[in-house]
């Protein structure tokens, strides 16, 4: 009964989401997540290579996929749009968050009173608004509803989902350590689910595991469960993806080079501080569940408040961990208060807080977007209705809305941490900042971009990244224009992603961008056709000579393989991070290009089955 009441109350706070397809929040990233769910729903049989973002990336690099898979299933089974399915799913997950914390608090304390206090506080009140001035200002001075605001205003659905799953994983880990048996497999599955939902959630879970071990012991079983969890998640977060996300996180959302340089020292100091704090709590005869909750809250608070109060980032984007800090602080409050009278007071306070949550947050942010009234929706609609399937570069939020509504490939995407080709980032900065359209055009042509969108002053585009938005005017053909928003055509000799060039023209440390682009426009070189066979394989046809190579304007990855007329051909990375095929062919040549993920992915796909078999046998 308490769990059902918590669920219904939280669902009431965000019930508008159950009927909304797209929120009227132009700066929110959730259209990119909707686009991923739509892609999964339409291509569930082929989720290996993702050709629509960043010139192509391994699908697992697009984003941890669990939430998007659930949204895709809801959309496919019910027939509703991916946008509405996303909002229905995230509303339910949001409502389940306090229920999950209630279960964890009940599991730790054995007290329904303590559990209800934790869950009610987590439902309505936001300690971060009192501790962080910026968040308090965003909430209008009333410390309530930050979790809902983050989901509605910023589109932080995966983050919220990981917050719902984390208490379940922590509770099951405790059962696995205490009882072993089938609980180990259940805990591993729950921990894998957190990691497959959101990267911040994954790090939060790692912090929770360390705190749990310090407070309760059980290192061997915890390590075994953690290994099993990674085995279950391995196909979607293989080592290469972890390394890519780690490297990109150094410069996304701020400069975190110093954070990484000090990371071993920070981690060591944090572990020592956790052990020391646990020893102090033991001297005060604090029970193990309370010690865990305090250690967890202290660790997350140091991440958030260290950045906010002292300007020290212990991890990249430390400020985003304030929602985890709130959850941990609410857990501590519940475990420390066990009087029934308190529940009545907290319940009354939560009901009181529901008024500003509904008025200041849901009333402002939970509104449907009129798709006909925004250029962010009309531009993708124009590209889709005109069958534009060449790569484009759109500014800011426009690229996220394109992902939600069209299958047009992009130079940009919705998750920069998963970018595998750093040249894309260098080119992006050059294109948006350089005032010379000729230099920008070199980058656009070299990376296979056939149209570039620019937003000027007065645009509905919330970010407007171009510093010189008029630089292409009169230089490039206009494909589409609406007020200050313009889509320009980038001239190419061919619409194909495959280009025949001479070996000497491939981009290397000795050959510059200018020579490569000149080769792309060289009319004396033969043309090559490029056709996708599946989402991860393509066919290229061309009349070649032995001195020719084929440049494919798609991101290179060790998992790409090629055959020429049935014979294996060399595939390597050029200086732009794109695919270069050396066919060594004379005459009519058919190249079959296929992405299989390489050795790493072959092992990763076996890992879950090995874990499941071992777990069932055990």
């Amino acid at each position: 009964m308490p769990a059902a009441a918590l669920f219904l109350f939280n669902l009431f706070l965000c019930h508008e989401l159950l009927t909304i397809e797209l929120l009227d929040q132009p700066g929110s990233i959730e259209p990119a997540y909707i686009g991923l769910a739509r892609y999964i729903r339409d291509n569930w049989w082929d989720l290996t290579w993702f050709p629509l973002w960043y010139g192509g990336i391994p699908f697992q690099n697009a984003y941890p996929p669990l939430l998007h898979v659930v949204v895709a299933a809801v959309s496919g089974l019910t027939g509703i749009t991916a946008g509405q399915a996303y909002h229905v799913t995230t509303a339910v997950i949001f409502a389940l968050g306090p229920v999950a914390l209630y279960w964890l608090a009940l599991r730790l304390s054995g007290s329904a009173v303590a559990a209800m206090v934790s869950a009610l506080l987590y439902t309505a009140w936001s300690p971060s608004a009192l501790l962080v001035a910026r968040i308090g200002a965003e909430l209008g001075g009333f410390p309530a509803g930050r979790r809902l605001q983050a989901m509605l205003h910023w589109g932080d659905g995966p983050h919220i989902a990981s917050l719902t799953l984390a208490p379940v994983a922590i509770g099951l880990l405790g059962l696995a350590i205490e009882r072993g048996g089938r609980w180990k497999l259940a805990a591993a599955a729950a921990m894998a689910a957190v990691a497959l939902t959101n990267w911040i959630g994954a790090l939060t879970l790692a912090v929770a595991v360390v705190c749990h071990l310090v407070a309760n012991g059980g290192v061997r079983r915890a390590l075994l469960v953690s290994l099993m969890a990674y085995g279950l998640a391995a196909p979607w977060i293989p080592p290469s993806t972890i390394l890519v996300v780690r490297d990109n996180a150094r410069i996304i959302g701020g400069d975190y080079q110093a954070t990484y340089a000090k990371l071993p020292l920070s981690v060591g100091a944090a572990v020592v501080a956790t052990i020391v704090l646990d020893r102090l709590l033991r001297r005060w005869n604090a029970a193990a569940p309370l010690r865990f909750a305090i250690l967890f809250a202290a660790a997350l608070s140091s991440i958030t408040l260290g950045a906010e109060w002292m300007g020290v980032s212990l991890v990249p984007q430390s400020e985003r961990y304030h929602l985890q800090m709130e959850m941990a602080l609410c857990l501590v409050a519940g475990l420390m208060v066990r009087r029934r009278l308190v529940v009545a007071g907290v319940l009354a306070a939560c009901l009181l807080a529901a008024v500003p949550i509904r008025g200041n947050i849901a009333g402002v942010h939970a509104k449907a977007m009129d798709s006909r009234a925004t250029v962010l929706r009309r531009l993708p609609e124009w590209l889709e209705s005109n069958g534009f399937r060449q790569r484009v570069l759109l500014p800011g939020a426009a690229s996220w809305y394109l992902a939600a509504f069209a299958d047009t490939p992009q130079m940009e995407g919705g998750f920069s941490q998963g970018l595998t080709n750093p040249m894309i980032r260098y080119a992006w900065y050059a294109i948006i900042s350089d005032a010379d359209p000729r230099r920008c055009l070199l980058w656009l042509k070299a990376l296979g971009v056939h149209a570039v969108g620019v937003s000027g002053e007065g645009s509905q585009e919330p970010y407007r990244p171009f510093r010189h938005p008029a630089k292409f005017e009169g230089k490039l053909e206009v494909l589409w224009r609406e007020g200050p928003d313009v889509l320009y055509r980038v001239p190419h000799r061919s619409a194909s992603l495959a280009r025949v060039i001479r070996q000497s023209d491939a981009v290397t440390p000795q050959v510059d961008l200018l020579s490569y682009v000149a080769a792309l426009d060289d009319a004396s070189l033969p043309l090559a056709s490029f056709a996708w066979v599946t989402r991860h394989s393509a066919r290229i046809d061309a009349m070649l000579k032995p001195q020719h190579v084929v440049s494919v304007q798609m991101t290179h990855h060790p998992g790409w393989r090629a055959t020429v007329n049935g014979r294996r051909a060399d595939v390597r990375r050029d200086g732009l991070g794109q695919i270069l095929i050396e066919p060594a062919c004379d005459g009519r040549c058919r190249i079959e290009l296929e992405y299989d993920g390489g050795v790493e992915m072959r092992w990763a796909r076996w890992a879950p089955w090995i874990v499941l078999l071992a777990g069932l046998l055990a």
Side-chain angles (χ1 to χ4, degrees):
M1 187 64 182
L6 285 168
F7 173 77
L8 292 174
F9 182 65
N10 278 268
L11 192 61
F12 162 74
L13 294 178
C14 63
H15 68 269
E16 290 91 345
L17 291 179
L18 299 176
T19 57
I20 289 178
E21 179 181 16
L22 199 63
L23 283 170
D24 189 14
Q25 299 294 330
S28 167
I29 196 175
E30 74 169 25
Y33 301 146
I34 292 170
L36 279 174
R38 183 182 62 83
Y39 183 89
I40 293 170
R41 181 198 64 196
D42 297 342
N43 301 276
W44 58 268
W45 63 92
D46 193 352
L47 300 176
T48 51
W49 184 254
F50 189 46
L52 301 187
W53 286 2
Y54 304 115
I57 53 174
F59 185 80
Q60 65 269 15
N61 284 39
Y63 202 88
L66 183 59
L67 174 63
H68 314 307
V69 169
V70 174
V71 173
V74 171
S75 177
L77 292 173
T78 63
I80 60 177
T81 65
Q84 187 177 354
Y86 177 84
H87 291 121
V88 169
T89 304
T90 52
V92 171
I93 288 173
F94 172 86
L96 287 171
V99 177
L101 188 64
Y102 174 86
W103 177 77
L104 176 61
L106 184 63
R107 158 95 184 92
L108 292 174
S109 67
S111 167
V113 172
M116 184 55 77
V117 169
S118 292
L120 287 173
L121 289 173
Y122 187 49
T123 291
W125 293 94
S126 300
S128 61
L130 301 173
L131 298 170
V132 181
R134 170 183 57 84
I135 295 174
E138 289 182 13
L139 289 172
F142 197 89
R146 178 61 174 179
R147 192 167 59 99
L148 180 60
Q149 186 201 39
M151 186 174 74
L152 295 178
H153 183 62
W154 299 112
D156 223 358
H159 190 177
I160 300 302
S162 72
L163 283 169
T164 296
L165 291 169
V168 178
I170 295 167
L172 289 175
L173 175 64
L175 286 170
I177 292 173
E178 293 172 16
R179 304 179 188 178
R182 63 182 181 274
W183 294 108
K184 286 190 281 189
L185 190 56
M191 292 171 69
V194 175
L196 290 175
T197 302
N198 177 259
W199 287 100
I200 292 177
L203 182 55
T204 300
L205 182 61
V207 171
V209 170
V210 172
C211 295
H212 199 288
L213 292 179
V214 171
N216 298 283
V219 174
R220 292 181 60 183
R221 281 189 174 175
L223 287 176
L224 176 61
V225 171
S226 299
L227 287 173
M228 291 171 65
Y230 182 70
L232 293 174
W236 305 108
I237 47 173
S240 62
T241 297
I242 295 173
L243 293 176
V244 164
V245 171
R246 180 203 65 182
D247 292 342
N248 287 327
R250 296 172 188 267
I251 56 173
I252 292 174
D255 184 358
Y256 298 105
Q257 303 283 355
T259 298
Y260 272 81
K262 299 174 182 176
L263 196 58
L265 179 62
S266 300
V267 170
V271 171
V272 171
T274 301
I275 294 172
V276 170
L277 179 56
D278 180 69
R279 293 293 182 268
L280 291 174
L281 293 171
R282 287 174 187 267
R283 286 189 178 182
W284 297 334
N285 296 319
L290 180 59
R291 292 203 312 276
F292 161 73
I294 292 175
L295 295 178
F296 190 39
L300 294 172
S301 298
S302 66
I303 291 175
T304 300
L305 302 180
E308 295 290 345
W309 292 357
M310 296 178 285
V312 178
S313 294
L314 298 177
V315 297
Q317 299 186 41
S318 300
E319 68 281 356
R320 296 191 64 193
Y321 289 81
H322 66 277
L323 294 176
Q324 278 82 351
M325 178 184 72
E326 289 190 354
M327 179 179 69
L329 290 175
C330 292
L331 179 62
V332 171
L335 296 186
M336 293 183 71
V337 178
R338 299 194 179 192
R339 296 185 179 180
R340 294 184 182 276
L341 184 61
V342 173
V343 176
V346 172
L347 178 58
C350 289
L351 292 174
L352 180 65
V355 176
I357 290 174
R358 292 291 306 153
N360 298 343
I361 298 176
V364 173
H365 301 298
K367 295 179 179 177
M369 175 180 283
D370 182 355
S371 61
R372 294 167 296 178
T374 174
V375 70
L376 295 171
R377 180 67 179 90
R378 288 194 295 273
L379 178 52
E381 202 171 60
W382 183 89
L383 289 165
E384 187 71 7
S385 63
N386 285 272
F388 198 95
R389 288 293 181 265
Q390 284 79 49
R391 188 174 297 147
V392 302
L393 172 58
L394 296 187
S399 69
W400 304 336
Y401 281 81
L402 179 62
F405 298 107
D407 279 341
T408 304
Q410 306 186 52
M411 179 179 153
E412 269 289 285
F415 185 59
S416 299
Q417 287 90 337
L419 178 66
T420 58
N421 182 6
M423 295 304 293
I424 297 285
R425 183 178 294 113
Y426 301 149
W428 164 251
Y429 288 136
I431 293 166
I432 66 170
S433 60
D434 199 330
D436 189 342
R438 294 170 297 179
R439 288 194 292 266
C440 298
L441 195 59
L442 286 177
W443 280 112
L444 292 168
K445 291 168 76 76
L447 294 171
V449 177
H450 288 255
V452 56
V454 178
S455 52
E457 190 67 30
S459 169
Q460 292 176 322
E461 162 60 52
Y463 298 110
R464 297 195 289 275
F466 280 87
R467 298 178 187 174
H468 308 279
K471 62 186 171 186
F472 296 122
E473 194 64 30
K475 307 292 193 303
L476 298 179
E477 175 192 350
V478 174
L479 285 172
W480 176 90
R481 184 193 296 273
E482 187 174 308
D485 299 286
V486 190
L487 184 69
Y488 296 99
R489 184 190 298 278
V490 178
H492 284 268
R493 180 171 169 246
S494 167
S496 174
L497 284 175
R499 306 299 188 89
V500 179
I501 61 174
R502 291 172 287 268
Q503 177 77 55
S504 58
D505 293 321
V507 178
T508 64
Q510 291 76 38
V511 180
D512 61 16
L513 198 62
L514 192 62
S515 299
Y516 173 68
V517 173
L520 299 181
D521 292 332
D522 190 343
S524 68
L525 291 169
L527 295 174
S529 66
F530 181 96
W532 287 106
V533 178
T534 65
R535 289 295 192 179
H536 68 280
S537 63
R539 181 179 297 119
I540 302 169
D541 288 294
M543 293 292 295
L544 302 178
K545 294 180 179 179
Q547 67 268 30
H548 290 155
V549 294
V550 177
S551 173
V552 181
Q553 294 175 312
M554 182 71 60
T555 300
H556 177 269
H557 186 277
W560 282 108
R561 304 284 181 266
T563 59
V564 180
N565 295 340
R567 172 179 49 83
R568 191 70 172 265
D570 289 335
V571 179
R572 62 184 177 88
R573 184 189 189 97
D574 71 6
L576 289 171
Q578 299 183 141
I579 296 171
L580 190 68
I581 303 172
E582 299 178 344
C585 182
D586 192 1
R588 184 174 298 279
C589 305
R590 167 159 290 186
I591 301 174
E592 303 284 351
L593 186 64
E594 183 176 11
Y595 174 80
D596 64 9
V599 175
E600 177 193 51
M601 289 308 299
R602 285 195 287 274
W603 279 103
R605 291 182 192 118
W606 275 104
W609 302 107
I610 294 172
V611 170
L612 286 172
L613 180 61
L616 290 172
L617 288 175

